[in-house]
Amino acid sequence: MVRTETVSYRSALRTPGATAFFLASAPARVGVAMAGLGIVWLVHAETGSFGVAGLVTGSFAVAETLVGPQTARLMDRFGQPRVLVPLLCAHAGAIAALVALTLTGAPAVPLMAAGLAAGATIPQFGALSAARWSALLHGRAELTPAFALETISNEAAFLLGPTLAVLTATQVHPAAGTVLAGALVVGAGLAFAALRRTAPVPAPADRTVARGPGPLLTRNFATLLAVNLALGVFFGSMQVSVSAFADVHHAASAAGLLYGLMSAASLLAGLAYGRHRRHTPPAAQLPLILTFLACASLLPLLANSPWQLGLALLLPGAGVAPCIIVSSTLIESVMDRSVLTQAFTWTNSASAAGIAVSAAAVGRLVDGPGGPRAGFIVPFLALTATAALTWSSRHALTTGSTASGQTPSTGSGRPRG
């Protein structure tokens, strides 16, 4: 049996400096969630082409995925504030250039270049905030509710952000969504950077992080990357499959509501999970949660109507947030302290890659004879394979967590003064 004890969100937020950086990161996360869709609406409105809009947005996403871990590496080495301020200034310039080029009718290539610049300079605030929680609460019970707050905040941002992007772009001006996204990222990001006391202390120059990615090249980290890749496949597959299912049943407008039900179940499950500290090691919890999530992802295959699909999405939704929380806890516990921001950023990139690849693949599947049901099989296969991987790796993850807990953290266990 899993024994639990209640821990408090309030006690995590009462940690000196925690509430300030958590609240500062919230609007920045909404801006990040708005960015891609805001660019789609801006470019399409001005060029009349979804093809060009897709190229620019794709350029943004590729740069964000590939460059994000490199800027995180600089933050681990030199500290968040020193890197974040010039990065945000560059992002403001890239957004201004993208908007100006689009509104003046520039061709696709300059727009793609501006999209690349904007994606390369957008910070990953979830990773930065998680690294700060780790620096403040490493080894303490409050870390579980702290990571639950992170997960809930990200879920809320990606519920609100796309809606806000479309609303401002359609009701105010085609550029309004992109401009507002940039303003939220830059304004809230500068406020976040100004809170220097809670920033993790930079790794010393003689650490391996200064010379290469050695501390990241571990079996444990590869396993956790696979978990986040599988979660990305789950998200991307579900988005396309749910939309296709709703369209087939002549209820296309209900797709957002159906997906929202799954997100709401995830939010509630995350809130409940974060209130309890489990005495079962996270490495033992992860394969159990993934097995539950894989089995629950079969339920949409049984649905024959939109309301049945809505009910079928509740259980897989309830497994998502706990899986993310446990994965974050394991990253915090098994990774070298000198590469923690990079580790969180790479897992974000793995999830983004899973979404992009699965969305494209499932789009082809649902257009075929199998329809939406063929799309629903993809997350089941990905999660089943990943569950099997975590079952085989649970001993190594447990050992890595124990070793990390017994090894003094280099420079990141105390808040910056």
Side-chain angles (χ1 to χ4, degrees), residues 157-181:
F158 279 91
L159 275 174
L160 176 62
T163 303
L164 192 56
V166 173
L167 185 64
T168 52
T170 55
Q171 300 300 318
V172 181
H173 187 276
T178 301
V179 172
L180 179 57

Side-chain angles (χ1 to χ4, degrees), residues 24 28 84-85 88 123 125 183-194:
L84 195 52
V85 172
L88 289 167
F125 287 99
L184 289 172
V185 168
V186 174
L190 289 173
F192 183 89

Side-chain angles (χ1 to χ4, degrees), residues 8-388:
S8 170
Y9 289 110
R10 185 178 299 176
S11 61
L13 290 171
R14 281 180 173 174
T15 305
T19 299
F21 80 73
F22 179 71
L23 292 179
S25 71
R29 294 175 210 250
V30 174
V32 172
M34 292 176 63
L37 200 52
I39 292 172
V40 169
W41 280 92
L42 167 64
V43 177
H44 174 259
E46 296 301 318
T47 65
S49 169
F50 275 116
V52 175
L55 287 173
V56 178
T57 308
S59 300
F60 176 93
V62 168
E64 180 183 11
T65 301
L66 296 181
V67 180
Q70 310 313 315
T71 56
R73 182 180 178 185
L74 293 175
M75 291 182 192
D76 279 330
R77 175 65 187 87
F78 298 105
Q80 290 184 7
R82 287 181 63 185
V83 177
L84 195 52
V85 172
L87 189 69
L88 289 167
C89 292
H91 183 68
I95 291 295
L98 176 58
V99 172
L101 286 169
T102 305
L103 295 180
T104 55
V109 172
L111 295 181
M112 290 172 63
L116 283 169
T121 54
I122 193 167
Q124 299 294 321
F125 287 99
L128 303 185
S129 183
R132 291 196 180 209
W133 281 117
S134 176
L136 292 176
L137 299 174
H138 180 62
R140 291 171 53 181
E142 290 86 353
L143 197 57
T144 296
F147 282 147
L149 286 170
E150 285 293 299
T151 301
I152 293 164
S153 182
N154 286 332
E155 289 272 5
F158 279 91
L159 275 174
L160 176 62
T163 303
L164 192 56
V166 173
L167 185 64
T168 52
T170 55
Q171 300 300 318
V172 181
H173 187 276
T178 301
V179 172
L180 179 57
L184 289 172
V185 168
V186 174
L190 289 173
F192 183 89
L195 302 170
R196 302 175 64 88
R197 187 168 66 89
T198 51
V201 177
D206 60 348
R207 295 298 296 265
T208 53
V209 66
R211 300 192 298 272
L216 289 170
L217 300 180
T218 66
R219 175 187 174 184
N220 285 339
F221 187 56
T223 299
L224 295 171
L225 275 180
V227 170
N228 283 272
L229 179 66
L231 286 172
V233 171
F234 174 85
F235 291 131
S237 302
M238 284 297 186
Q239 286 173 359
V240 176
S241 300
V242 168
S243 298
F245 185 96
D247 186 62
V248 165
H249 287 81
H250 310 290
S253 60
L257 175 61
L258 292 172
Y259 199 77
L261 284 173
M262 189 172 71
S263 297
S266 178
L267 281 170
L268 293 174
L271 279 169
Y273 185 90
R275 293 188 67 250
H276 296 281
R277 184 188 185 189
R278 285 145 187 85
H279 294 275
T280 301
Q285 295 177 44
L286 186 60
L288 289 170
I289 295 172
L290 281 167
T291 301
F292 166 81
L293 193 51
C295 293
S297 67
L298 285 172
L299 292 177
L301 290 169
L302 306 177
N304 293 309
S305 66
W307 73 266
Q308 290 180 1
L309 180 61
L311 292 176
L313 291 172
L314 293 177
L315 271 184
V320 170
C323 188
I324 295 172
I325 295 166
V326 173
S327 173
S328 299
T329 302
L330 283 168
I331 292 166
E332 195 277 337
S333 63
V334 305
M335 296 307 298
D336 189 289
R337 316 299 294 167
S338 65
V339 294
L340 200 53
T341 307
Q342 295 173 71
F344 282 119
T345 306
W346 272 115
T347 54
N348 288 347
S349 294
S351 181
I355 291 172
V357 172
S358 63
V362 171
R364 289 181 173 271
L365 278 178
V366 300
D367 282 339
R373 295 187 190 280
F376 286 128
I377 294 174
V378 173
F380 167 73
L381 295 176
L383 291 166
T384 300
T386 309

